[in-house]
Amino acid sequence: MGSFSTFLNNMDWTGLLMLLFSAAAALLCITFHELSHGFVAWKLGDPTAKLAGRLTLNPLRHLDPLGFVMMVLLHVGWAKPVPIDLRYFKNPRRDMALTALAGPASNFLLAAAALLVGRVLLFADIGGMAGVYALLAVMYIAVLSVGLGVFNLIPIAPLDGSKVLISFLPERLYRVVLRYERWGMLALLLLVWLGVLNGPLNFLMSWAVRGLCFVTGFPYYLFAGLFF
């Protein structure tokens, strides 16, 4: 019993709480991201995601284990892609680009909403640890949401940025890129493993958060040292 008490006393409860905040924020971010893809595709005529049960707020339906772990630990990652059938679109290339952009756009909007909530919390001046934890929660949502949005704008398949990029390519090159799209994930994982993307992603994330703080009036300096 004494050894168990010693274990509890030595436990890094703050670190564990931050990990839980990160996990909860990641689930919220991926849910909005994939739901937005499916919703826009449905509005553009493709019912595939809806029929697959992906127009849901249940995060387990959108969870990709590896992408989720990366979001929790590295603050960038991905979710399980929603199924899309281009044959339903009236203008496949344009509609695919709009569907792809919907995910990152929803993440930036979610981050802005979280920062607005954070500004209200600061204005309300909620005292004690409850106020601190509430503020940390919205900051985690903002950072992970921005991280998901920025990461998915990378123009490497199967990320959203690649779908936007290829929509502007000539038809012949468009088909070539689609043919080799399945190799994109291997290239992406290699870049992540080598750490090639760490610097650029951190730079883009910090400036995206800085911009959203400017728009929402949330003090950016609170992020300094904690996330960037």
Side-chain angles (χ1 to χ4, degrees):
M1 189 69 180
S3 60
F4 182 67
S5 297
T6 301
F7 170 76
L8 290 179
N9 290 332
N10 293 331
M11 175 72 76
D12 181 8
W13 294 107
T14 300
L16 180 60
L17 186 61
M18 296 303 99
L19 189 64
L20 291 175
F21 278 160
S22 185
L27 289 175
L28 178 65
C29 296
I30 64 175
T31 299
F32 270 84
H33 184 98
E34 294 302 324
L35 177 59
S36 298
H37 282 317
F39 180 78
V40 171
W42 177 48
K43 286 298 183 180
L44 291 172
D46 177 17
T48 309
K50 181 177 174 62
L51 295 175
R54 297 295 299 278
L55 297 189
T56 174
L57 289 172
N58 179 3
L60 298 181
R61 299 301 302 271
H62 307 297
L63 189 66
D64 179 282
L66 179 58
F68 173 71
V69 170
M70 285 188 59
M71 279 197 68
V72 173
L73 299 180
L74 304 178
H75 298 164
V76 293
W78 59 87
K80 179 182 176 182
V82 297
I84 301 294
D85 191 337
L86 294 173
R87 293 174 296 181
Y88 286 105
F89 291 145
K90 294 180 180 178
N91 188 329
R93 296 174 69 170
R94 180 203 65 190
D95 294 348
M96 186 66 251
L98 292 174
T99 299
L101 282 173
S106 72
N107 288 131
F108 295 127
L109 289 173
L110 177 61
L115 292 175
L116 285 172
V117 171
R119 185 182 179 189
V120 171
L121 291 173
L122 287 173
F123 181 77
D125 194 22
I126 301 175
M129 293 307 296
V132 173
Y133 288 145
L135 196 59
L136 281 172
V138 298
M139 289 171 67
Y140 265 97
I141 292 172
V143 169
L144 267 68
S145 200
V146 166
L148 184 60
V150 168
F151 185 77
N152 275 273
L153 286 175
I154 297 174
I156 299 176
L159 299 180
D160 302 323
S162 68
K163 296 177 176 61
V164 177
L165 176 64
I166 64 177
S167 68
F168 294 100
L169 297 177
E171 185 67 25
R172 184 176 178 181
L173 188 56
Y174 175 80
R175 296 185 181 278
V176 171
V177 172
L178 286 180
R179 188 181 310 156
Y180 295 100
E181 187 179 32
R182 64 182 181 276
W183 299 105
M185 180 56 76
L186 292 177
L188 184 64
L189 290 175
L190 180 62
L191 291 173
V192 171
W193 182 68
L194 293 174
V196 174
L197 300 176
N198 292 352
L201 284 174
N202 191 65
F203 174 80
L204 292 172
M205 286 173 59
S206 65
W207 276 99
V209 171
R210 189 188 297 270
L212 289 173
C213 284
F214 176 79
V215 171
T216 60
F218 188 89
Y220 175 77
Y221 71 84
L222 293 178
F223 289 93
L226 184 60
F227 295 102
F228 306 114

